[in-house]
Structures are given as structure tokens and as C-alpha cells.
Amino acid sequence: MLVEREEHLNQFAERLDRLAEGAGGTVVVSGPVASGRTRLFRSFLSDVAERSAPGRDLAGTLVLTATGSPATGLLPFGLLTPVLTALRLQPDLLYEIESCVDAPLADGVLKPEAVSLAHRVAEAVLALAVERPVVLAVDDAQDGDELSLECLAYMARRLVAARMLLAVAVRTGIGHRGPVHAALLHEGIGRGLRLAPLSERGVTTLVADRLGRSAADRGAADFFAVTAGNCLLVNAVIEDHVARTGGLPLQRGTRLAVGEAYGRAVLACLDRGGADARRVAEVLAVLGGDKSAAMLADLAGVDKRGLFDALESLEEVGLLNGRAFRHPIARSTVLARLTTADRAEVHLRAAAHVQRNEGLVDEVVDHFLAAGEVRDQASVSLLQCVAEQALIADDVERATRCLRLAAAHCADERQRAAIVGRLASVVWRSSTTAVAQNHLKVLIEAMCDGILPDSQVPAVLRYLLWHGRVDEAVEAMSCLYGGGSTAEEVDSLQWWLRHCYPPLAERMPPRPDNVDEAAPATPGTAGAGRAMAAQLIRGLLAGDDPEEVAIIAQQVLQSCALGEDTIESLATALISLTYVDRLDLAQPWCDELVERAHERRAPTWAAVLGAVRADIALRAGDLAGAVRFGREALETMPAHNWGTNIGLVRAPLIVAHTRMDEYEEAAEQLRQPLPDGMFESRFGLHYLFARGQYYQAVDRPYAALTDFRACGDLLTKWGMDVSGIVAWRSAAAQCHLALGEPDQSRALAEAQLARSPRMSRSAGLALRVLATTAPPAQRVPLLEAAVDAFVRCGARFHLARALLDLGNTHHDLGDDEKARMTIRQAQRVAKECRARRLEREVPLQRVAEEETTMRRWEQPAGELSDAERRVATLAGLGHTNRQIADKLYVTISTVEQHLTRTYRKLGISRRSDITTVLRLQVVQAL
């Protein structure tokens, strides 16, 4: 079906009428690729054939046809060969034609003898019109050779007195022959017919003819938007739509089905549109249309005028809208036909263009990355620089791509080893396994060959230990003093090993004489952070004052920004704060660092810090929080990526599930496979201690005692028997109690207490065990001291247990008032911790059933003033009124008045209740 071509058919009919009247002429049909020229020609020739039948007005008309192609333009008379074959030319003319085949052109112009020959051939064709009407139809004349086109132009000038109609179709666009087109319309005897793409109405008509009126009404606008009225493209999209939907109308909100047929049509348009247009389309497909005209012209190999002509032609043919492809499949189709090497070449030439014109470095590198190659070492260095800039912006993916490309094309082996080392440190942020699989072998070989920078050797050692490759790590230690490692780096590494992998610290090679003592690091640098972290570890293991340890830890946290050079220092500072019971400092810092790690797109850092956060929550008695943070850490970094560090995250999960009475969940954590080398690390120590607590909770005291004793043996062997790491003696003491061995229990608890700082978590644990082994009358002060220790360090789970023991002890001593007050607080704290088993151990019969029975101290008549609290505290410690008056420099009467108001506000009547009520108020405030 010919749509919007009625006027053109009428023009052809009019010319045929004039031919029937004896007048010749020319009709030149022009239009872009796939505008319907050929179909119009076929319709015209069908009319000619019909009117040439006997008895019609053009009976006996001779019809000659020819069609151009790229091949016909290469041969003299190639376009008109079918016409000449049909003619009976004189022998001498045939001979001249054959003689002219070799060289008809001189400097791109027809030789005079060739022009003369073309004219005589034209005369031979014109002579046929003397006897009868002649119709010569030539399609795609723009692809004709020079001799044929000269012949056609000569005929056009001689058709005034000849009964001959010359119908020529010419494709417009890049490379079409404007002068030939003009010559064919010489002296007004010709008629030019311009074929434009279909309008939207025309597309609607075409779609309605193929798919029905309903489909046209709903989808014609979409068809037009994709094709811009190109007949070939419209029919292709219709074909795709039928193949996809069976020809059903588009439903509201449904996208037009564009697929394989459309892609084939796109390529057909490009192949028929000229080489310049095809190259421009390919450049646009590779780079997009947002590049400068100068770059596009340069890469397509055309001048700016040629570029604009190509863009105009591609837009006219319906492939482009401005500089953008009308449909993504058009671009993907063009790209698919290009080889990988073709696309890479475009990007490399684009990079060269940007560099020549002093463009942005990032744009140059973008083209290198898209090409997947570079061709000189300067480009390798450029990739390294851009990678570092990308890391400053936390664009890990871009940095990784730059370093990977740089490593692949670096010719210098030392530089390549350094690049791979840097690449490994970047990849480590997101996948420790990827480093082990893709980079570690190369780094080990470079280290053994002596070409790996000395500053990167400690990192390789850490990678090996993370994945449990202890023997290889020991071999790597021999490379630590290669001449470039600083004393600070080696010392920091040694203390890090003492903390995380103690057996390896003893196997460090001795410092050579040519390596000086570590000089003070510049404040605020990664080296300074490592040095302070090493100082922290030394202080912890030496039993320094906890407050001093906390101060140094805060210095590390305040002075080190999160990064690959500082993550271990920061983690060490957080862990040190937990060892000295400063959870109040560790928690906010850890929350901030976890958030920052996520912002910096470093899941490995976030996971490790998340595991530390789980341990902080566990030590604080936030059991649900410990589970949540532990699971988030495992979601952030899958278990297979954790290596030996898996103990760091599984330990708090095991203990938290156990204390929450979720034994199956705890057992599931224990069933998971463990990596080699974990029990040669501190992470294995925490795992052992957690497993022992699980065994203890499920009434397997012998198994628990074995694990706790193993922890003690390791800590002693490693020189790390510090109470804040794991309180194994108190845990083992409880096992001995369960086994009916109070003497061994008491000995372990006393040893634990002797090694623990006053008012520390470990001291509280030891005091609680000692209270269990003591007679009831001696338990109260021990348990009260334990409660005070747990309150101070924020250990809520242990606080609930100590309160429960204290309440039961008060009951055993016959003081039911204190028992009720204390057990109620134990119940509240246990519930807040979600320690379900501990909640079940609360003797509910000792707690008032109704809230209205709450003691007045829980609903005080008023807050104690500072003076009243000072007097109450001294009275609770056993001082007489006179002693209090002397200490506070007040009168005895004033002391008595303060005590009277204190009794009223606290709701008590006995002096001995003061300390208990004040302590429980502190507990309630937690």
C-alpha cells in the first residue's frame, strides 16, 4: 500500500499522458533512504505495462530499466549495462565502449573521448524513440558511474522532440549527486518529485492497514515517534509488534514492541545512506551525542560540514532526533555490528582528541576505561593518578577499574607490582576473597622476587593471616626488612600481631642493625595512628591504668580518619575501650565509624566495625542489639569473606542467642565451618569463650570448663592474660560450682579479683562467684560491690544476675522488703536485656503482683538535695550523726533534719535501708 503518494502517482500518470501525445520528458524522484522510491517506481512501471498493452494509448512502448548499486559505480557504463545489453548497438560503437572501459577518467573528470562516447550511446537510445514510445526507468541513479550519468544527462537535454520518458530515482542525503539531479531537470522539461517521510497521519493509515483501526488509534503516535515516518522502519516495527503480540492493539501503559526487524531495518538504512553517515552513526553509538562537533567530525573522519550533512541525513531518515538515537535498539544494533576492537579504537581516538585539545583528565580516562586498553606508559601513570582521586571521592569502582587497567598494560614490572598492591588494598574494601583469588598470588611472587615495594609487604602479611595461610605469612616475614620498610611500620605490625595473631609475633625476624629505632610519627598521619595503637596494645598487655588506656584510645579515634591505613588502628582503639569497660565511649564512636564506612562504600570495614559493635552491645547487656549488629555484619560481608576474623562476629551471636534462651540459633552458629588458623588468633579465643558459655547454659559443665581452660592456656601462652579480654577464671569458677567443687571455684574467683581493676566488669564477675561460695551473711557486701561494679561499667546482663542473687540473699536473711525491691529491679533489667532464662529465674512470689504495691522509693516524694544525698550516703556507710556532722562541718541538728527528710522522700523508716534504696535508684536510672 502506497500512503501519501497519490500526488506523485498523478504526476507520473500526467507524464504518461503527454508521452501518449508524443511529448517526451523527465521525471526525477528524490528522497531519503527508505522513503518509498522503489515502491513508487514499481507502481509506475506497473501502470506503464498496463497502458502498453495492445489497444491502449501507449501500445508497443519499449520499457527499459536499470538499477544502481555501489558496484555499478565502479564500472564504465555499469549503471546502463542492462539497457545496453537490450539494445542492438552498432559494432563500432560496441568496440569503442569496450575500449573505453580501462580509463574513462582523467583527474576525476571524463576524458573528451569518453564524453563523446556517452553522447553517441545516448543518441542510440534516443533513436529507438523514433519508431515507438520509450520509457527508460533508472532507480538509485546516485550510485551510477560517470559515463552512465553523462549519458542520462545528455538524453534529458534531448527529450524535447523525442517520444521518450526518462524516469530517474535519486536518493538524497550525504554523497548524492546534486549536479546530476539538476542536469536531469534541464530547461524545465523535467518534473521533480520529492518524497518526504510519512506524516503522523500517514503512519496512522499504514498501521491501520496492517493492524486495524483500533491498533492505529492507540499506537500510531508511538510508531511515528520511533520511526519519524520512515516507511521501512514503520513496517519493521509493525512486524515486531505482530511477532510479539499477535497484532493485538496496544494496551494503555504498554510500550511498543520494538525488536529484531527494526534492528535489521536500521542497518539497512545505514548501509544505503553512505559511508559518512554510517561512520557518524557509529561514533554516536559508541560515544553518545553529547560530544563536541569537532570531536565527532574528527572521529568520523569528516569535516564539520560533512558532519552536519550526515546528522541531517540521519535525522531525515528517522534514526536520530537531534544527536540522539530515536530508540535504544537503534543504538544497540549499531554497536552490536561493531567489533570490540572497533569500539576500542573509537574510544582511544576520542581520548587522543581530548588530550590534544587539553580537555579534562577524567574524560580521557573515561575513554581509556571504555576502550579497555592504553598504548603508552604515560597513560598508565595517568590511570594511577585518577584512581587516587577517585578514592578521595570514595568512588571505589572507578578506582578499581583504573588500577586494573593500569596493571594490565604496565610494562615496568616494579611499577606493575606496586599497582597490583594498591589495587588489592582497594578491592579489600569490598571483597577479601577477591584479593585472595585474583591478586595475592601475584603479590607473593613479586615479594619473593624483591620487586614489591617494602611498604606493601605488611599488607600482604595481613592478607595471608586473614585467610589463615599462616605458613606463607611466616615466609613473608623474611621480607619485612627489605630496605624500604620503616621501623614504625615494622614495630606497629609486631604489636598488631601480638594483639591479633600472638603466635606469629614471636616468629618475627630480629631487627637488622641498618634499621633504626622508630622515630616519632607526624601527628594526624596513618603512621601516628599505628604508633598510638601499638602503644595501646602495650599498655593493655602490661596492665596499665584503664583511664590511661581510654585516653590513648580516644586520641586514636579523634586523630585518625577512617581509611585503609587506619581501619586497624581504629578497631584496636574501640576494642581497647571495651577491654577497660568504657562502653559509654566505644558505642558512639563505633556507630559513627560504621556509618562512615557505609558512606565510603567499604563493606569490609563496615562489617569488621559492625562485629565490634555487636561485642559492645553484648557487653552492655543489649542482647537483641548484639544479634542485630552481628547479623548486619554478616549481611554486609558474607561468611566466606571473613577468614579467621569470623570468630569476631560469631562469638557475640553465640553468647547473645544463648542468654536470650535461643539455644537452637546459638547451636546453628556453632555448626558453621571454621577457617584454618582461626585458633591461632585472638578471634579464635573469643569463639572458644563463647562456645564455653553455650555449653555452660545447656548444662554441659565439663565441655564448658574445657573451653574456658583452653582460653586461659592460650592467654597465658601468648602473654595476654588480661582480665578485660575474657574473664575465663570467673567462667571456669562457675563450672566448678556446677560440678560441686567450691574450693576450686573460690580459688579461681580470688585469682580473677586480684588481677582485675577495682570496679571493673571482671571484678564484678569475680565478686559474684565469691558471694556464691560464701555464707549468706557474707554475701551481701560482695554482691553489693558486684552491683556497683556492673552499674559503673554498664554491664546490664550481669547486673540483673547480681541483683537477683542479692535479692535472694536478702530473702534468705529474712529482709523481705529489701528482697522485693532488689528482685523487682532484677526482673526489670533482665526483661530489658531480653534475657528470657534469667527472667524465668526471678521468684515471682517475692515480687508484689500489682503496680499499686510498689514501694514509695520507686515513686519518691521528691528528689534528694545535694546536702541530703551527702548525709544519706555517709549514714548508709555506717557513720553516726556526730561523725557526719564533723565530716560535713554542720550541726547534729542539721544532720537529723536532713535524715528526716531523706526517710520521707525515700519512703523508708530504717537507717539500714538507705544504701539499698540509693543503689537501686541508680540501677533504675540505667
Side-chain angles (χ1 to χ4, degrees), residues 203-226:
V203 172
T204 302
T205 302
L206 184 57
V207 174
D209 179 66
R210 295 281 303 276
L211 301 178
R213 175 53 59 181
S214 177
D217 290 342
R218 287 191 176 184
D222 294 331
F223 279 91
F224 182 77
V226 172

Short mmCIF file of all heavy atoms in Angstrom, two decimals, residues 203-226:
data_model
loop_
_atom_site.label_atom_id
_atom_site.label_comp_id
_atom_site.label_asym_id
_atom_site.label_seq_id
_atom_site.Cartn_x
_atom_site.Cartn_y
_atom_site.Cartn_z
N VAL A 203 1.37 7.59 8.87
CA VAL A 203 1.73 6.42 9.66
C VAL A 203 0.47 5.75 10.22
O VAL A 203 0.35 4.53 10.24
CB VAL A 203 2.69 6.81 10.80
CG1 VAL A 203 2.91 5.65 11.76
CG2 VAL A 203 4.02 7.28 10.23
N THR A 204 -0.48 6.57 10.66
CA THR A 204 -1.74 6.03 11.17
C THR A 204 -2.44 5.21 10.11
O THR A 204 -2.95 4.11 10.38
CB THR A 204 -2.65 7.18 11.64
OG1 THR A 204 -1.97 7.94 12.65
CG2 THR A 204 -3.95 6.64 12.21
N THR A 205 -2.44 5.72 8.90
CA THR A 205 -3.09 5.00 7.79
C THR A 205 -2.39 3.67 7.53
O THR A 205 -3.04 2.63 7.34
CB THR A 205 -3.06 5.86 6.52
OG1 THR A 205 -3.72 7.10 6.77
CG2 THR A 205 -3.74 5.14 5.37
N LEU A 206 -1.06 3.69 7.53
CA LEU A 206 -0.29 2.47 7.27
C LEU A 206 -0.50 1.44 8.37
O LEU A 206 -0.69 0.24 8.11
CB LEU A 206 1.18 2.82 7.13
CG LEU A 206 2.13 1.68 6.75
CD1 LEU A 206 1.70 1.01 5.45
CD2 LEU A 206 3.56 2.19 6.62
N VAL A 207 -0.48 1.88 9.63
CA VAL A 207 -0.70 0.97 10.75
C VAL A 207 -2.11 0.40 10.71
O VAL A 207 -2.32 -0.80 10.96
CB VAL A 207 -0.43 1.68 12.09
CG1 VAL A 207 -0.80 0.78 13.27
CG2 VAL A 207 1.03 2.10 12.20
N ALA A 208 -3.09 1.25 10.37
CA ALA A 208 -4.47 0.78 10.30
C ALA A 208 -4.63 -0.28 9.22
O ALA A 208 -5.36 -1.26 9.38
CB ALA A 208 -5.40 1.96 10.02
N ASP A 209 -3.91 -0.11 8.10
CA ASP A 209 -4.00 -1.09 7.02
C ASP A 209 -3.41 -2.44 7.44
O ASP A 209 -3.92 -3.49 7.05
CB ASP A 209 -3.25 -0.56 5.79
CG ASP A 209 -3.28 -1.53 4.63
OD1 ASP A 209 -4.38 -1.77 4.09
OD2 ASP A 209 -2.21 -2.07 4.28
N ARG A 210 -2.36 -2.41 8.27
CA ARG A 210 -1.70 -3.65 8.65
C ARG A 210 -2.29 -4.26 9.92
O ARG A 210 -2.37 -5.49 10.04
CB ARG A 210 -0.21 -3.39 8.89
CG ARG A 210 0.57 -2.98 7.64
CD ARG A 210 0.91 -4.17 6.78
NE ARG A 210 1.67 -5.17 7.50
CZ ARG A 210 3.01 -5.13 7.66
NH1 ARG A 210 3.70 -4.13 7.10
NH2 ARG A 210 3.63 -6.08 8.31
N LEU A 211 -2.68 -3.41 10.88
CA LEU A 211 -3.08 -3.92 12.20
C LEU A 211 -4.53 -3.62 12.57
O LEU A 211 -5.02 -4.13 13.58
CB LEU A 211 -2.17 -3.32 13.29
CG LEU A 211 -0.68 -3.60 13.17
CD1 LEU A 211 0.07 -2.91 14.29
CD2 LEU A 211 -0.41 -5.09 13.20
N GLY A 212 -5.18 -2.78 11.78
CA GLY A 212 -6.56 -2.43 12.11
C GLY A 212 -6.66 -1.05 12.72
O GLY A 212 -5.69 -0.50 13.26
N ARG A 213 -7.84 -0.50 12.64
CA ARG A 213 -8.06 0.87 13.09
C ARG A 213 -7.85 1.01 14.59
O ARG A 213 -7.30 2.00 15.06
CB ARG A 213 -9.48 1.30 12.71
CG ARG A 213 -9.91 2.67 13.23
CD ARG A 213 -8.93 3.77 12.87
NE ARG A 213 -8.77 3.89 11.43
CZ ARG A 213 -7.95 4.78 10.86
NH1 ARG A 213 -7.18 5.55 11.63
NH2 ARG A 213 -7.85 4.83 9.55
N SER A 214 -8.24 0.03 15.38
CA SER A 214 -8.09 0.12 16.83
C SER A 214 -6.63 0.24 17.22
O SER A 214 -6.25 1.08 18.05
CB SER A 214 -8.73 -1.09 17.51
OG SER A 214 -8.53 -1.04 18.89
N ALA A 215 -5.80 -0.60 16.62
CA ALA A 215 -4.36 -0.54 16.91
C ALA A 215 -3.78 0.79 16.47
O ALA A 215 -2.92 1.36 17.14
CB ALA A 215 -3.63 -1.69 16.23
N ALA A 216 -4.24 1.29 15.33
CA ALA A 216 -3.72 2.57 14.83
C ALA A 216 -4.09 3.71 15.76
O ALA A 216 -3.28 4.59 16.05
CB ALA A 216 -4.24 2.83 13.43
N ASP A 217 -5.33 3.71 16.23
CA ASP A 217 -5.77 4.80 17.09
C ASP A 217 -4.98 4.85 18.39
O ASP A 217 -4.70 5.92 18.92
CB ASP A 217 -7.27 4.64 17.40
CG ASP A 217 -8.13 4.90 16.18
OD1 ASP A 217 -7.62 5.52 15.22
OD2 ASP A 217 -9.30 4.46 16.16
N ARG A 218 -4.60 3.68 18.91
CA ARG A 218 -3.90 3.65 20.19
C ARG A 218 -2.38 3.77 20.05
O ARG A 218 -1.72 4.29 20.94
CB ARG A 218 -4.20 2.34 20.92
CG ARG A 218 -5.60 2.28 21.49
CD ARG A 218 -5.74 1.09 22.42
NE ARG A 218 -7.04 1.07 23.05
CZ ARG A 218 -7.41 0.19 23.96
NH1 ARG A 218 -6.55 -0.73 24.35
NH2 ARG A 218 -8.61 0.22 24.48
N GLY A 219 -1.83 3.29 18.95
CA GLY A 219 -0.38 3.19 18.89
C GLY A 219 0.31 3.97 17.79
O GLY A 219 1.54 3.96 17.71
N ALA A 220 -0.44 4.65 16.93
CA ALA A 220 0.19 5.32 15.79
C ALA A 220 1.19 6.37 16.24
O ALA A 220 2.25 6.54 15.62
CB ALA A 220 -0.88 5.94 14.89
N ALA A 221 0.86 7.10 17.30
CA ALA A 221 1.79 8.13 17.78
C ALA A 221 3.11 7.52 18.20
O ALA A 221 4.19 8.08 17.94
CB ALA A 221 1.15 8.91 18.93
N ASP A 222 3.05 6.35 18.84
CA ASP A 222 4.29 5.68 19.24
C ASP A 222 5.07 5.20 18.02
O ASP A 222 6.30 5.30 17.98
CB ASP A 222 3.96 4.49 20.15
CG ASP A 222 3.37 4.92 21.49
OD1 ASP A 222 3.70 6.03 21.93
OD2 ASP A 222 2.61 4.14 22.08
N PHE A 223 4.36 4.67 17.04
CA PHE A 223 5.03 4.24 15.81
C PHE A 223 5.75 5.43 15.16
O PHE A 223 6.88 5.30 14.70
CB PHE A 223 4.01 3.66 14.82
CG PHE A 223 3.64 2.24 15.09
CD1 PHE A 223 2.56 1.91 15.90
CD2 PHE A 223 4.37 1.20 14.53
CE1 PHE A 223 2.22 0.61 16.14
CE2 PHE A 223 4.04 -0.12 14.78
CZ PHE A 223 2.96 -0.43 15.59
N PHE A 224 5.09 6.57 15.13
CA PHE A 224 5.69 7.74 14.49
C PHE A 224 6.88 8.24 15.29
O PHE A 224 7.91 8.63 14.73
CB PHE A 224 4.65 8.85 14.34
CG PHE A 224 5.17 10.07 13.64
CD1 PHE A 224 5.32 10.08 12.27
CD2 PHE A 224 5.55 11.20 14.35
CE1 PHE A 224 5.83 11.20 11.60
CE2 PHE A 224 6.06 12.32 13.71
CZ PHE A 224 6.19 12.31 12.33
N ALA A 225 6.78 8.22 16.62
CA ALA A 225 7.88 8.71 17.46
C ALA A 225 9.14 7.88 17.25
O ALA A 225 10.26 8.41 17.28
CB ALA A 225 7.46 8.69 18.93
N VAL A 226 8.98 6.58 17.03
CA VAL A 226 10.14 5.70 16.87
C VAL A 226 10.73 5.79 15.47
O VAL A 226 11.95 5.68 15.29
CB VAL A 226 9.74 4.24 17.19
CG1 VAL A 226 10.87 3.27 16.84
CG2 VAL A 226 9.38 4.11 18.66
#
